[in-house]
Amino acid sequence: MTPVELSRTVLCAVRCAVDEGELSVRVPERAVVTVPGPGGCGDYATNIALQLARPAGQSPLRVAEILAPRLVAAAGVADVVVTGPGFLNISLSPAASPTATLVAEIRALGSGYGHGDALAGQVVALRVPYDVRAEVVADAVVRIVATQGGRGEVGHGEPVSLRPVPAPEDPAPLGPDAAQWALLHPAAHDRPRITADHLVQRESNPLFRVRYAHARTRAVGRGAGRLGFGAEPGDVPAAPGASGALVTALADYPRILTAAATHRAPDRLARHLVTVADAALPFLPTVLPRGDEKPSVAHRARLALAEATGTVLAGGLSLLGIDAPDHL
């Protein structure tokens, strides 16, 4: 349920109270719905009771008490708590959110998320030249093809079916993970860069961003454990570090994985992992409560989304033959 949809739900509750004679007011055109402030709880809060108190001739607290049961009865609302002089704090039902469905699917499938049967029963014969990059790409293609029900077989000879542009020099000095990334991240027709840039721990290095985002998902999980709350799929309200781009990237992962398998293109997977990481990094600082804030339904939902992100990043890196450390 989006804030706009929740605003309509609040107005519907007001309209019901008016129709049933419990409130004598003009139904406003809009209801402001925001993230709960200090002392608040739940996913969203609204000051509609304070707004209507004077025209209704009742206290804000009484107006809130009239509206609360009607909001609880609305589809997608799990709980309503009245705080302060009459703020309505609303917790959404996990089932109300497509994000919850996506996160629950990733949690259920784990590293199998995105696997399908697009190549079921097919044998993909890969004939490669005697070249380190061709060998690395072929190995990754075999793993990716397997996620779609196919079986890859690598051999040498003619005709060559997989011939990526060779590396200009031996990538081994970069170490196993950086070497894999250096050879797999560029498209097959692009010449890979074998430089120490793949080893630096800063934002300019895509591999670092992907592995750092994964490590951060594990860090927020450890932090939540210390605070005594766990993950629960649910709606993730829009906020600074908005989750929309992240949810879109996670939802697109199965399509990317299928395309990488059918086109024998592990670079598509590598670049999508960068997309997921770049969407995750602004979001992850919003997962844990701040200051005196108490863990809420929203925090549990954000944690579930963070954990799902870590699952996708780790699974994708594994298919590329790259380690996903929990600490970085």
PDB file of all heavy atoms in Angstrom, residues 127-155:
ATOM      1  N   ARG A 127      32.575 -24.252 -27.568  1.00  0.00           N
ATOM      2  CA  ARG A 127      33.908 -24.509 -28.110  1.00  0.00           C
ATOM      3  C   ARG A 127      34.709 -23.217 -27.992  1.00  0.00           C
ATOM      4  O   ARG A 127      34.314 -22.188 -28.545  1.00  0.00           O
ATOM      5  CB  ARG A 127      33.803 -24.949 -29.574  1.00  0.00           C
ATOM      6  CG  ARG A 127      33.081 -26.273 -29.750  1.00  0.00           C
ATOM      7  CD  ARG A 127      33.914 -27.430 -29.172  1.00  0.00           C
ATOM      8  NE  ARG A 127      33.193 -28.707 -29.242  1.00  0.00           N
ATOM      9  CZ  ARG A 127      32.488 -29.221 -28.248  1.00  0.00           C
ATOM     10  NH1 ARG A 127      32.414 -28.584 -27.097  1.00  0.00           N
ATOM     11  NH2 ARG A 127      31.889 -30.381 -28.390  1.00  0.00           N
ATOM     12  N   VAL A 128      35.802 -23.280 -27.261  1.00  0.00           N
ATOM     13  CA  VAL A 128      36.549 -22.057 -26.957  1.00  0.00           C
ATOM     14  C   VAL A 128      38.004 -22.209 -27.389  1.00  0.00           C
ATOM     15  O   VAL A 128      38.540 -23.330 -27.437  1.00  0.00           O
ATOM     16  CB  VAL A 128      36.480 -21.720 -25.451  1.00  0.00           C
ATOM     17  CG1 VAL A 128      35.047 -21.520 -25.003  1.00  0.00           C
ATOM     18  CG2 VAL A 128      37.152 -22.800 -24.622  1.00  0.00           C
ATOM     19  N   PRO A 129      38.669 -21.095 -27.672  1.00  0.00           N
ATOM     20  CA  PRO A 129      40.108 -21.153 -27.967  1.00  0.00           C
ATOM     21  C   PRO A 129      40.896 -21.365 -26.675  1.00  0.00           C
ATOM     22  O   PRO A 129      40.357 -21.239 -25.568  1.00  0.00           O
ATOM     23  CB  PRO A 129      40.388 -19.773 -28.574  1.00  0.00           C
ATOM     24  CG  PRO A 129      39.352 -18.889 -27.978  1.00  0.00           C
ATOM     25  CD  PRO A 129      38.128 -19.734 -27.810  1.00  0.00           C
ATOM     26  N   TYR A 130      42.191 -21.683 -26.829  1.00  0.00           N
ATOM     27  CA  TYR A 130      43.051 -21.834 -25.651  1.00  0.00           C
ATOM     28  C   TYR A 130      43.460 -20.439 -25.177  1.00  0.00           C
ATOM     29  O   TYR A 130      44.486 -19.899 -25.561  1.00  0.00           O
ATOM     30  CB  TYR A 130      44.288 -22.667 -26.001  1.00  0.00           C
ATOM     31  CG  TYR A 130      43.965 -24.121 -26.222  1.00  0.00           C
ATOM     32  CD1 TYR A 130      43.744 -24.607 -27.513  1.00  0.00           C
ATOM     33  CD2 TYR A 130      43.867 -25.004 -25.150  1.00  0.00           C
ATOM     34  CE1 TYR A 130      43.439 -25.940 -27.726  1.00  0.00           C
ATOM     35  CE2 TYR A 130      43.562 -26.344 -25.362  1.00  0.00           C
ATOM     36  CZ  TYR A 130      43.348 -26.807 -26.643  1.00  0.00           C
ATOM     37  OH  TYR A 130      43.036 -28.133 -26.851  1.00  0.00           O
ATOM     38  N   ASP A 131      42.577 -19.858 -24.344  1.00  0.00           N
ATOM     39  CA  ASP A 131      42.774 -18.481 -23.876  1.00  0.00           C
ATOM     40  C   ASP A 131      42.159 -18.358 -22.499  1.00  0.00           C
ATOM     41  O   ASP A 131      41.055 -18.882 -22.244  1.00  0.00           O
ATOM     42  CB  ASP A 131      42.110 -17.503 -24.850  1.00  0.00           C
ATOM     43  CG  ASP A 131      42.066 -16.088 -24.314  1.00  0.00           C
ATOM     44  OD1 ASP A 131      43.120 -15.418 -24.298  1.00  0.00           O
ATOM     45  OD2 ASP A 131      40.974 -15.657 -23.875  1.00  0.00           O
ATOM     46  N   VAL A 132      42.845 -17.675 -21.587  1.00  0.00           N
ATOM     47  CA  VAL A 132      42.379 -17.612 -20.201  1.00  0.00           C
ATOM     48  C   VAL A 132      41.012 -16.959 -20.096  1.00  0.00           C
ATOM     49  O   VAL A 132      40.144 -17.423 -19.336  1.00  0.00           O
ATOM     50  CB  VAL A 132      43.418 -16.892 -19.304  1.00  0.00           C
ATOM     51  CG1 VAL A 132      43.615 -15.448 -19.721  1.00  0.00           C
ATOM     52  CG2 VAL A 132      42.980 -16.978 -17.835  1.00  0.00           C
ATOM     53  N   ARG A 133      40.780 -15.868 -20.831  1.00  0.00           N
ATOM     54  CA  ARG A 133      39.473 -15.223 -20.709  1.00  0.00           C
ATOM     55  C   ARG A 133      38.367 -16.129 -21.248  1.00  0.00           C
ATOM     56  O   ARG A 133      37.290 -16.229 -20.651  1.00  0.00           O
ATOM     57  CB  ARG A 133      39.442 -13.884 -21.436  1.00  0.00           C
ATOM     58  CG  ARG A 133      38.142 -13.125 -21.153  1.00  0.00           C
ATOM     59  CD  ARG A 133      37.993 -11.834 -21.899  1.00  0.00           C
ATOM     60  NE  ARG A 133      36.785 -11.142 -21.456  1.00  0.00           N
ATOM     61  CZ  ARG A 133      36.162 -10.204 -22.151  1.00  0.00           C
ATOM     62  NH1 ARG A 133      36.638  -9.797 -23.328  1.00  0.00           N
ATOM     63  NH2 ARG A 133      35.067  -9.641 -21.673  1.00  0.00           N
ATOM     64  N   ALA A 134      38.616 -16.785 -22.377  1.00  0.00           N
ATOM     65  CA  ALA A 134      37.603 -17.680 -22.937  1.00  0.00           C
ATOM     66  C   ALA A 134      37.262 -18.790 -21.954  1.00  0.00           C
ATOM     67  O   ALA A 134      36.080 -19.153 -21.790  1.00  0.00           O
ATOM     68  CB  ALA A 134      38.099 -18.259 -24.259  1.00  0.00           C
ATOM     69  N   GLU A 135      38.272 -19.326 -21.268  1.00  0.00           N
ATOM     70  CA  GLU A 135      38.038 -20.392 -20.286  1.00  0.00           C
ATOM     71  C   GLU A 135      37.192 -19.884 -19.118  1.00  0.00           C
ATOM     72  O   GLU A 135      36.252 -20.559 -18.674  1.00  0.00           O
ATOM     73  CB  GLU A 135      39.374 -20.926 -19.766  1.00  0.00           C
ATOM     74  CG  GLU A 135      40.260 -21.565 -20.821  1.00  0.00           C
ATOM     75  CD  GLU A 135      39.868 -23.000 -21.117  1.00  0.00           C
ATOM     76  OE1 GLU A 135      38.880 -23.479 -20.532  1.00  0.00           O
ATOM     77  OE2 GLU A 135      40.550 -23.630 -21.943  1.00  0.00           O
ATOM     78  N   VAL A 136      37.523 -18.707 -18.610  1.00  0.00           N
ATOM     79  CA  VAL A 136      36.785 -18.144 -17.472  1.00  0.00           C
ATOM     80  C   VAL A 136      35.344 -17.845 -17.858  1.00  0.00           C
ATOM     81  O   VAL A 136      34.399 -18.155 -17.113  1.00  0.00           O
ATOM     82  CB  VAL A 136      37.496 -16.878 -16.952  1.00  0.00           C
ATOM     83  CG1 VAL A 136      36.604 -16.114 -15.979  1.00  0.00           C
ATOM     84  CG2 VAL A 136      38.808 -17.254 -16.268  1.00  0.00           C
ATOM     85  N   VAL A 137      35.142 -17.242 -19.026  1.00  0.00           N
ATOM     86  CA  VAL A 137      33.793 -16.940 -19.481  1.00  0.00           C
ATOM     87  C   VAL A 137      32.990 -18.225 -19.669  1.00  0.00           C
ATOM     88  O   VAL A 137      31.819 -18.324 -19.257  1.00  0.00           O
ATOM     89  CB  VAL A 137      33.822 -16.115 -20.786  1.00  0.00           C
ATOM     90  CG1 VAL A 137      32.407 -15.994 -21.373  1.00  0.00           C
ATOM     91  CG2 VAL A 137      34.394 -14.727 -20.534  1.00  0.00           C
ATOM     92  N   ALA A 138      33.605 -19.225 -20.266  1.00  0.00           N
ATOM     93  CA  ALA A 138      32.908 -20.490 -20.492  1.00  0.00           C
ATOM     94  C   ALA A 138      32.489 -21.141 -19.179  1.00  0.00           C
ATOM     95  O   ALA A 138      31.360 -21.652 -19.052  1.00  0.00           O
ATOM     96  CB  ALA A 138      33.799 -21.437 -21.299  1.00  0.00           C
ATOM     97  N   ASP A 139      33.371 -21.123 -18.185  1.00  0.00           N
ATOM     98  CA  ASP A 139      33.020 -21.705 -16.883  1.00  0.00           C
ATOM     99  C   ASP A 139      31.828 -20.993 -16.263  1.00  0.00           C
ATOM    100  O   ASP A 139      30.925 -21.628 -15.695  1.00  0.00           O
ATOM    101  CB  ASP A 139      34.219 -21.632 -15.938  1.00  0.00           C
ATOM    102  CG  ASP A 139      35.302 -22.652 -16.281  1.00  0.00           C
ATOM    103  OD1 ASP A 139      35.015 -23.578 -17.061  1.00  0.00           O
ATOM    104  OD2 ASP A 139      36.426 -22.512 -15.770  1.00  0.00           O
ATOM    105  N   ALA A 140      31.805 -19.661 -16.358  1.00  0.00           N
ATOM    106  CA  ALA A 140      30.679 -18.895 -15.817  1.00  0.00           C
ATOM    107  C   ALA A 140      29.404 -19.196 -16.585  1.00  0.00           C
ATOM    108  O   ALA A 140      28.313 -19.325 -15.994  1.00  0.00           O
ATOM    109  CB  ALA A 140      30.995 -17.402 -15.853  1.00  0.00           C
ATOM    110  N   VAL A 141      29.518 -19.311 -17.903  1.00  0.00           N
ATOM    111  CA  VAL A 141      28.339 -19.624 -18.717  1.00  0.00           C
ATOM    112  C   VAL A 141      27.759 -20.982 -18.322  1.00  0.00           C
ATOM    113  O   VAL A 141      26.540 -21.144 -18.219  1.00  0.00           O
ATOM    114  CB  VAL A 141      28.690 -19.597 -20.222  1.00  0.00           C
ATOM    115  CG1 VAL A 141      27.538 -20.181 -21.053  1.00  0.00           C
ATOM    116  CG2 VAL A 141      28.982 -18.174 -20.673  1.00  0.00           C
ATOM    117  N   VAL A 142      28.614 -21.953 -18.061  1.00  0.00           N
ATOM    118  CA  VAL A 142      28.135 -23.276 -17.640  1.00  0.00           C
ATOM    119  C   VAL A 142      27.305 -23.161 -16.363  1.00  0.00           C
ATOM    120  O   VAL A 142      26.220 -23.754 -16.243  1.00  0.00           O
ATOM    121  CB  VAL A 142      29.320 -24.238 -17.437  1.00  0.00           C
ATOM    122  CG1 VAL A 142      28.868 -25.510 -16.712  1.00  0.00           C
ATOM    123  CG2 VAL A 142      29.954 -24.583 -18.777  1.00  0.00           C
ATOM    124  N   ARG A 143      27.790 -22.395 -15.397  1.00  0.00           N
ATOM    125  CA  ARG A 143      27.046 -22.232 -14.139  1.00  0.00           C
ATOM    126  C   ARG A 143      25.730 -21.505 -14.375  1.00  0.00           C
ATOM    127  O   ARG A 143      24.696 -21.865 -13.806  1.00  0.00           O
ATOM    128  CB  ARG A 143      27.901 -21.473 -13.117  1.00  0.00           C
ATOM    129  CG  ARG A 143      29.055 -22.278 -12.546  1.00  0.00           C
ATOM    130  CD  ARG A 143      29.730 -21.548 -11.377  1.00  0.00           C
ATOM    131  NE  ARG A 143      30.418 -20.348 -11.831  1.00  0.00           N
ATOM    132  CZ  ARG A 143      31.687 -20.316 -12.221  1.00  0.00           C
ATOM    133  NH1 ARG A 143      32.403 -21.432 -12.246  1.00  0.00           N
ATOM    134  NH2 ARG A 143      32.250 -19.180 -12.598  1.00  0.00           N
ATOM    135  N   ILE A 144      25.757 -20.480 -15.210  1.00  0.00           N
ATOM    136  CA  ILE A 144      24.549 -19.688 -15.446  1.00  0.00           C
ATOM    137  C   ILE A 144      23.527 -20.489 -16.249  1.00  0.00           C
ATOM    138  O   ILE A 144      22.313 -20.446 -15.971  1.00  0.00           O
ATOM    139  CB  ILE A 144      24.909 -18.366 -16.148  1.00  0.00           C
ATOM    140  CG1 ILE A 144      25.763 -17.505 -15.211  1.00  0.00           C
ATOM    141  CG2 ILE A 144      23.664 -17.607 -16.568  1.00  0.00           C
ATOM    142  CD1 ILE A 144      26.378 -16.278 -15.868  1.00  0.00           C
ATOM    143  N   VAL A 145      23.975 -21.229 -17.241  1.00  0.00           N
ATOM    144  CA  VAL A 145      23.074 -22.080 -18.026  1.00  0.00           C
ATOM    145  C   VAL A 145      22.374 -23.091 -17.122  1.00  0.00           C
ATOM    146  O   VAL A 145      21.185 -23.395 -17.293  1.00  0.00           O
ATOM    147  CB  VAL A 145      23.865 -22.778 -19.152  1.00  0.00           C
ATOM    148  CG1 VAL A 145      23.086 -23.970 -19.714  1.00  0.00           C
ATOM    149  CG2 VAL A 145      24.183 -21.785 -20.272  1.00  0.00           C
ATOM    150  N   ALA A 146      23.087 -23.608 -16.137  1.00  0.00           N
ATOM    151  CA  ALA A 146      22.501 -24.591 -15.219  1.00  0.00           C
ATOM    152  C   ALA A 146      21.344 -23.999 -14.428  1.00  0.00           C
ATOM    153  O   ALA A 146      20.405 -24.719 -14.060  1.00  0.00           O
ATOM    154  CB  ALA A 146      23.574 -25.136 -14.280  1.00  0.00           C
ATOM    155  N   THR A 147      21.368 -22.697 -14.163  1.00  0.00           N
ATOM    156  CA  THR A 147      20.265 -22.084 -13.416  1.00  0.00           C
ATOM    157  C   THR A 147      18.972 -22.095 -14.220  1.00  0.00           C
ATOM    158  O   THR A 147      17.891 -21.952 -13.650  1.00  0.00           O
ATOM    159  CB  THR A 147      20.580 -20.619 -13.038  1.00  0.00           C
ATOM    160  OG1 THR A 147      20.571 -19.783 -14.215  1.00  0.00           O
ATOM    161  CG2 THR A 147      21.910 -20.501 -12.341  1.00  0.00           C
ATOM    162  N   GLN A 148      19.069 -22.275 -15.527  1.00  0.00           N
ATOM    163  CA  GLN A 148      17.882 -22.295 -16.383  1.00  0.00           C
ATOM    164  C   GLN A 148      17.574 -23.697 -16.905  1.00  0.00           C
ATOM    165  O   GLN A 148      16.868 -23.869 -17.896  1.00  0.00           O
ATOM    166  CB  GLN A 148      18.069 -21.327 -17.548  1.00  0.00           C
ATOM    167  CG  GLN A 148      18.378 -19.910 -17.129  1.00  0.00           C
ATOM    168  CD  GLN A 148      17.343 -19.342 -16.170  1.00  0.00           C
ATOM    169  OE1 GLN A 148      16.131 -19.400 -16.448  1.00  0.00           O
ATOM    170  NE2 GLN A 148      17.792 -18.794 -15.044  1.00  0.00           N
ATOM    171  N   GLY A 149      18.121 -24.700 -16.228  1.00  0.00           N
ATOM    172  CA  GLY A 149      17.800 -26.088 -16.542  1.00  0.00           C
ATOM    173  C   GLY A 149      18.611 -26.702 -17.652  1.00  0.00           C
ATOM    174  O   GLY A 149      18.357 -27.843 -18.054  1.00  0.00           O
ATOM    175  N   GLY A 150      19.603 -25.971 -18.166  1.00  0.00           N
ATOM    176  CA  GLY A 150      20.425 -26.499 -19.244  1.00  0.00           C
ATOM    177  C   GLY A 150      21.717 -27.107 -18.722  1.00  0.00           C
ATOM    178  O   GLY A 150      22.028 -27.047 -17.531  1.00  0.00           O
ATOM    179  N   ARG A 151      22.497 -27.676 -19.643  1.00  0.00           N
ATOM    180  CA  ARG A 151      23.793 -28.260 -19.281  1.00  0.00           C
ATOM    181  C   ARG A 151      24.830 -27.776 -20.272  1.00  0.00           C
ATOM    182  O   ARG A 151      24.660 -27.930 -21.494  1.00  0.00           O
ATOM    183  CB  ARG A 151      23.715 -29.788 -19.279  1.00  0.00           C
ATOM    184  CG  ARG A 151      25.039 -30.473 -18.954  1.00  0.00           C
ATOM    185  CD  ARG A 151      24.802 -31.943 -18.627  1.00  0.00           C
ATOM    186  NE  ARG A 151      24.210 -32.667 -19.728  1.00  0.00           N
ATOM    187  CZ  ARG A 151      24.888 -33.236 -20.729  1.00  0.00           C
ATOM    188  NH1 ARG A 151      26.221 -33.147 -20.762  1.00  0.00           N
ATOM    189  NH2 ARG A 151      24.268 -33.895 -21.685  1.00  0.00           N
ATOM    190  N   GLY A 152      25.886 -27.160 -19.765  1.00  0.00           N
ATOM    191  CA  GLY A 152      26.945 -26.663 -20.625  1.00  0.00           C
ATOM    192  C   GLY A 152      28.099 -27.637 -20.698  1.00  0.00           C
ATOM    193  O   GLY A 152      28.461 -28.261 -19.701  1.00  0.00           O
ATOM    194  N   GLU A 153      28.672 -27.765 -21.894  1.00  0.00           N
ATOM    195  CA  GLU A 153      29.837 -28.618 -22.094  1.00  0.00           C
ATOM    196  C   GLU A 153      30.919 -27.800 -22.780  1.00  0.00           C
ATOM    197  O   GLU A 153      30.688 -27.229 -23.853  1.00  0.00           O
ATOM    198  CB  GLU A 153      29.478 -29.836 -22.952  1.00  0.00           C
ATOM    199  CG  GLU A 153      28.496 -30.794 -22.283  1.00  0.00           C
ATOM    200  CD  GLU A 153      28.211 -32.019 -23.135  1.00  0.00           C
ATOM    201  OE1 GLU A 153      28.600 -32.004 -24.332  1.00  0.00           O
ATOM    202  OE2 GLU A 153      27.616 -32.972 -22.616  1.00  0.00           O
ATOM    203  N   VAL A 154      32.074 -27.731 -22.156  1.00  0.00           N
ATOM    204  CA  VAL A 154      33.168 -26.910 -22.668  1.00  0.00           C
ATOM    205  C   VAL A 154      34.204 -27.800 -23.339  1.00  0.00           C
ATOM    206  O   VAL A 154      34.608 -28.837 -22.795  1.00  0.00           O
ATOM    207  CB  VAL A 154      33.836 -26.105 -21.534  1.00  0.00           C
ATOM    208  CG1 VAL A 154      34.959 -25.237 -22.093  1.00  0.00           C
ATOM    209  CG2 VAL A 154      32.802 -25.242 -20.819  1.00  0.00           C
ATOM    210  N   GLY A 155      34.613 -27.376 -24.527  1.00  0.00           N
ATOM    211  CA  GLY A 155      35.656 -28.104 -25.227  1.00  0.00           C
ATOM    212  C   GLY A 155      36.448 -27.166 -26.122  1.00  0.00           C
ATOM    213  O   GLY A 155      36.131 -25.977 -26.238  1.00  0.00           O
TER     214      GLY A 155
END
